[in-house]
Amino acid sequence: MGISECLPRLTCMIRGIGDPLVSVYARAYLCRVGMEVAPHLKESLNKNFFDFLLTFKQIHGDTVQNHLAVQGVELSSYLPLYSPAMDWIFQCISYRAPENLLTEMMERCKKLGNNALLLNSVMSAFRAEFIATRSLDFIGMIKECSEAGFPKHLLFRSLGLNLALADPPEGDRLQILNEAWRVITKLKNPQDYIDCAEVWAEYTCRHFTKREVNTVLADIIKHMTPDRAFEDSYPQLQSIIKKVIAHFHDFAVLFSVEKFLPFLDMFQKESVRVEVCKCIMELFIKHQHEPTKDPVILNALLHVCKTMHDSVNALTLEDEKRTLACLINGFVKMVSFGRDFEQQLSFYVEARSMFCNLEPVLVQLIHSVSRLAMETRKVMKGNHSRKTAAFVRACVAYCFITIPSLVGIFTRLNLYLLAGQVALANQCLSQADAFFKAAISLIPEVPKTINVDGKMRPSEPFLLEFLCNFFSTLLIVPDHPEHGVLFLVRELLNVIQDYTWEDTSDDKIRIYTYVLHLLSAMSQETYLYHVDKVDSNDSLYGGDSKFLAENNKLCEMVMTQILEHLRALAKDEALKRQSLLGLSFFNSILAHGDLRNNRLNQLSVNLWHLAQRHGYADTRTMVKTLEYIKKRSEQPDMTHLSELALRLPLQTRT
């Protein structure tokens, strides 16, 4: 016998099963197997469904009711046992079913009494579009259902789930909401209420304005506040607020919803509250494309960010701190008062006091205030009035006060340098000196290793990079009239000299080499670059012989340190390091020194021989260097280099 004959026969055989609960699961299994082995025989499956409808009234018959009474089982506990099987049957029948079949199935359901259970399965299995277009019809059927065993609020919840996926006719939307909420708001059990309200909150957000949303939020607060019922429903409340903020991308409108912040106050468990605040900030950063100064938005988001910040404690993971700081920084960057710079600075002052425990936020605030000072300079085209000069000094003072509160030492060093550059650009010379002195005094505190992305790394490469940037700035910093010639360079050299360097490291000598580059640039009649409206030492001294003499003394002192280190390497048998450093020092003299000076000329020759003495020099590099010297000697005023080239032999390795 083929499958086409077996399916109808099995369908009829199930009628003989006396227990309706067992019968419905047998039909569900038959639908499952039928869809798997013979999906083309939908007619037989449809017959199974209509056969089921004929026997559905058994559920409410005297036999079943008496049996339940004997077993002591409530109807409200018994009827939901049918739902999984009925849902599966309806899904199998409705899969790719034509519209007329679904309409016929719905009409047959209407004719059955006490059909709440059946109606719930229909709304769970049928296509959302089919349900949505007939929403008022379904509401009429729900009204006619008996409350016995299967409450109406579950039917409205099932209807709401469909309306979250498909839109009903526009003219019916308000009536649908009123009919549903009229039932939902009368629910006494908080859990039943919130299960329904969660579903219909999305429908309200999708189709209505902030007025209706505010009404729904107010009703939820009214139902969930007594006896602190909200404490047992945080997942549903979270879902509601996510739906609200997902549909209101205009945050001015969102925060003007009167009951939004009171709704937020129901999240009194800190971990849940912080998660909700994070969701709000993530959507703000995603959807707020223009800077804002709206006081409603600012006050609300300051409250949200403060909540996130205050959750940080000693046990908070670094990843969590980083996430919270990133969200708060996203908010800080989006706040702009336009040309009202004083109001902008006031906001940054308030933010510093509110977010003092998150270092990345303080760093962002320092950068923002520095940018504010530079924007002021740009507006004034560098010509500060008394008022703007006082304002940029206030910005600079903000940075000077805030930087010491940071923990990361290289963060402090780099921000001292940045703020000093901002002060210098705004002609705040004494403030710039204070920043640079603070950076110099901080260098001795640099530890040997620092934490980089969770791993301990040597700090010397980072210190070397910072000092290179620092030297570039020192070129244009004018000397203080009361502190003598090149006082900042001298202080920096003292710190470098006293710093404890690794025995196997040559970074100290590399730094001394960079100092020579700086001193060479400082000895020029006109410096390579300047800060507008700031007189550097080339203007202050005008090539004065005393200044140049002091510069030369520093050069000699630094060169002495380099040569002593080279001699020490020979004693330690570190010949390869000696060769590399010797060639590096030679290149520095070639690039920055005046080789017409006999002593310097002879020193360069000695370094050339030193680099090759023990066979560690790279022959290709030496050849290219010599070719460069010969080519450069062809330029005007460079003929002395041709004589130098004759004194620089290339040694062959034996």
Side-chain angles (χ1 to χ4, degrees):
M1 185 181 290
I3 190 68
S4 58
E5 290 82 13
C6 286
L7 273 177
R9 184 178 178 185
L10 290 170
T11 299
C12 294
M13 288 173 66
I14 292 175
R15 295 177 186 175
I17 299 176
D19 190 324
L21 184 59
V22 177
S23 172
V24 75
Y25 275 93
R27 294 187 186 279
Y29 181 73
L30 186 62
C31 282
R32 177 189 180 280
V33 175
M35 288 292 289
E36 185 175 339
V37 301
H40 57 286
L41 298 176
K42 287 293 290 288
E43 288 299 324
S44 297
L45 297 178
N46 294 345
K47 187 177 185 303
N48 185 21
F49 165 71
F50 292 122
D51 209 36
F52 161 71
L53 291 183
L54 293 175
T55 59
F56 178 73
K57 60 183 68 175
Q58 287 180 330
I59 297 175
H60 300 282
D62 292 340
T63 304
V64 173
Q65 299 297 326
N66 293 336
H67 187 66
L68 292 178
V70 172
Q71 297 293 330
V73 177
E74 294 288 338
L75 190 63
S76 58
S77 302
Y78 176 70
L79 286 182
L81 299 176
Y82 286 82
S83 292
M86 292 172 62
D87 289 350
W88 181 258
I89 293 171
F90 277 100
Q91 286 176 13
C92 291
I93 302 303
S94 63
Y95 180 67
R96 293 184 178 179
E99 195 85 1
N100 60 344
L101 176 62
L102 298 181
T103 304
E104 181 186 352
M105 293 166 67
M106 183 177 169
E107 291 299 324
R108 292 214 182 188
C109 292
K110 280 183 181 180
K111 295 176 182 178
L112 294 174
N114 296 323
N115 64 348
L117 180 62
L118 193 63
L119 190 57
N120 188 67
S121 293
V122 168
M123 290 190 289
S124 299
F126 282 17
R127 295 194 303 271
E129 294 80 8
F130 179 86
I131 304 296
T133 55
R134 295 164 178 78
S135 297
L136 290 179
D137 292 338
F138 277 97
I139 287 176
M141 293 170 67
I142 292 172
K143 285 181 177 180
E144 294 174 5
C145 289
S146 170
E147 287 277 0
F150 205 91
K152 288 183 181 180
H153 70 84
L154 294 182
L155 298 175
F156 274 107
R157 187 177 190 277
S158 297
L159 178 60
L161 290 171
N162 282 281
L163 296 180
L165 301 173
D167 298 334
E170 189 170 350
D172 298 342
R173 291 173 185 174
L174 183 58
Q175 184 181 351
I176 293 169
L177 178 62
N178 289 336
E179 293 285 355
W181 209 263
R182 192 175 291 121
V183 173
I184 295 169
T185 194
K186 291 178 182 178
L187 295 174
K188 301 299 182 185
N189 184 300
Q191 196 60 47
D192 292 342
Y193 171 84
I194 198 63
D195 285 342
C196 286
E198 174 193 358
V199 174
W200 283 90
E202 179 163 5
Y203 174 79
T204 310
C205 293
R206 279 167 65 96
H207 301 299
F208 298 97
T209 64
K210 69 174 187 178
R211 178 174 169 272
E212 289 79 10
V213 172
N214 190 63
T215 302
V216 169
L217 293 182
D219 196 63
I220 295 172
I221 294 170
K222 177 184 173 182
H223 279 78
M224 301 306 295
T225 302
D227 300 324
R228 300 178 67 85
F230 55 78
E231 291 183 343
D232 299 321
S233 305
Y234 281 138
Q236 292 92 334
L237 294 173
Q238 270 185 278
S239 174
I240 291 170
I241 204 164
K242 285 179 180 178
K243 289 167 183 175
V244 172
I245 60 180
H247 287 89
F248 284 85
H249 296 165
D250 186 340
F251 280 79
V253 174
L254 175 65
F255 292 126
S256 65
V257 175
E258 183 184 350
K259 294 298 181 180
F260 181 78
L261 291 180
F263 188 91
L264 197 61
D265 288 338
M266 284 199 294
F267 295 96
Q268 296 190 8
K269 184 178 179 182
E270 186 178 70
S271 59
V272 180
R273 189 180 180 89
V274 170
E275 282 302 314
V276 171
C277 290
K278 285 165 68 175
C279 288
I280 294 172
M281 290 310 304
E282 285 169 0
L283 282 167
F284 174 79
I285 293 169
K286 180 179 180 180
H287 296 294
Q288 186 72 29
H289 301 300
E290 297 294 329
T292 182
K293 61 177 181 179
D294 188 316
V296 174
I297 295 178
L298 297 190
N299 290 333
L301 289 185
L302 279 172
H303 173 70
V304 169
C305 291
K306 178 68 172 170
T307 300
M308 294 193 299
H309 170 270
D310 291 350
S311 70
V312 175
N313 54 45
L315 300 178
T316 305
L317 298 175
E318 287 302 317
D319 282 349
E320 178 69 7
K321 289 182 182 178
R322 196 158 33 243
T323 299
L324 296 177
C326 183
L327 293 173
I328 296 174
N329 282 342
F331 164 61
V332 169
K333 292 178 194 175
M334 292 305 297
V335 177
S336 174
F337 291 89
R339 287 292 186 91
D340 192 349
F341 291 166
E342 291 182 349
Q343 186 66 33
Q344 189 80 35
L345 182 60
S346 297
F347 168 76
Y348 291 143
V349 171
E350 182 182 4
R352 179 179 61 185
S353 65
M354 294 180 74
F355 310 129
C356 56
N357 291 332
L358 287 173
E359 182 160 315
V361 179
L362 295 179
V363 172
Q364 176 60 47
L365 289 171
I366 293 169
H367 280 289
S368 297
V369 172
S370 299
R371 186 173 63 250
L372 187 61
M374 295 306 292
E375 286 178 2
T376 306
R377 178 182 183 274
K378 182 179 179 180
V379 169
M380 300 302 294
K381 298 180 180 179
N383 299 309
H384 283 299
S385 64
R386 180 178 298 180
K387 183 178 180 180
T388 60
F391 177 76
V392 295
R393 284 197 293 271
C395 292
V396 168
Y398 178 104
C399 298
F400 195 76
I401 292 169
T402 310
I403 293 173
S405 64
L406 304 177
V407 176
I409 191 159
F410 281 102
T411 303
R412 279 183 281 162
L413 283 171
N414 287 312
L415 287 175
Y416 273 133
L417 179 56
L418 171 69
Q421 292 166 343
V422 170
L424 196 63
N426 285 282
Q427 300 119 55
C428 302
L429 301 184
S430 59
Q431 288 86 349
D433 283 347
F435 280 113
F436 297 141
K437 286 180 181 178
I440 292 171
S441 64
L442 192 59
I443 291 173
E445 299 179 22
V446 175
K448 295 301 174 189
T449 58
I450 57 172
N451 189 317
V452 179
D453 296 330
K455 296 182 179 180
M456 300 307 294
R457 307 284 189 190
S459 64
E460 287 190 8
F462 297 94
L463 182 57
L464 191 65
E465 180 184 3
F466 166 75
L467 289 173
C468 287
N469 293 333
F470 197 8
F471 294 150
S472 300
T473 302
L474 287 181
L475 173 62
I476 52 175
V477 178
D479 283 341
H480 193 286
E482 297 178 2
H483 293 114
V485 177
L486 300 176
F487 77 103
L488 284 175
V489 178
R490 291 177 186 276
E491 285 191 19
L492 187 54
L493 282 172
N494 290 336
V495 168
I496 294 170
Q497 177 65 31
D498 295 338
Y499 187 80
T500 305
W501 302 87
E502 292 290 339
D503 294 335
T504 57
S505 169
D506 297 316
D507 285 337
K508 179 179 180 181
I509 302 307
R510 291 191 179 92
I511 291 172
Y512 277 141
T513 304
Y514 297 145
V515 172
L516 285 179
H517 299 171
L518 170 63
L519 294 172
S520 173
M522 284 182 162
S523 66
Q524 306 302 310
E525 290 185 10
T526 303
Y527 291 169
L528 297 171
Y529 47 88
H530 295 85
V531 174
D532 189 33
K533 295 181 173 58
V534 174
D535 291 330
S536 299
N537 286 340
D538 56 343
S539 300
L540 293 179
Y541 295 110
D544 181 71
S545 58
K546 291 183 179 179
F547 172 76
L548 294 176
E550 288 295 324
N551 187 298
N552 289 337
K553 284 182 182 178
L554 286 178
C555 286
E556 289 180 4
M557 183 186 74
V558 172
M559 291 173 70
T560 300
Q561 293 286 338
I562 295 174
L563 294 174
E564 286 181 359
H565 184 78
L566 288 173
R567 282 193 286 270
L569 290 177
K571 294 178 182 178
D572 296 338
E573 298 297 322
L575 301 179
K576 185 174 182 179
R577 286 167 56 196
Q578 184 191 54
S579 173
L580 293 173
L581 280 178
L583 183 59
S584 175
F585 191 21
F586 171 85
N587 288 330
S588 293
I589 294 174
L590 180 64
H592 300 277
D594 184 1
L595 290 173
R596 284 169 291 197
N597 181 296
N598 291 334
R599 290 177 59 193
L600 208 56
N601 193 296
Q602 184 57 49
L603 175 60
S604 65
V605 173
N606 294 342
L607 290 170
W608 180 268
H609 286 286
L610 178 66
Q612 300 182 96
R613 181 174 301 165
H614 300 288
Y616 287 107
D618 181 62
T619 305
R620 182 179 299 177
T621 302
M622 304 299 285
V623 169
K624 287 187 176 181
T625 303
L626 190 56
E627 288 176 354
Y628 167 76
I629 295 172
K630 291 177 180 179
K631 187 172 182 179
R632 196 175 169 197
S633 67
E634 298 172 1
Q635 299 176 3
D637 299 327
M638 290 291 175
T639 53
H640 59 282
L641 291 181
S642 58
E643 297 177 8
L644 175 65
L646 296 174
R647 302 173 63 194
L648 302 177
L650 289 171
Q651 296 182 6
T652 57
R653 297 184 182 181
T654 57

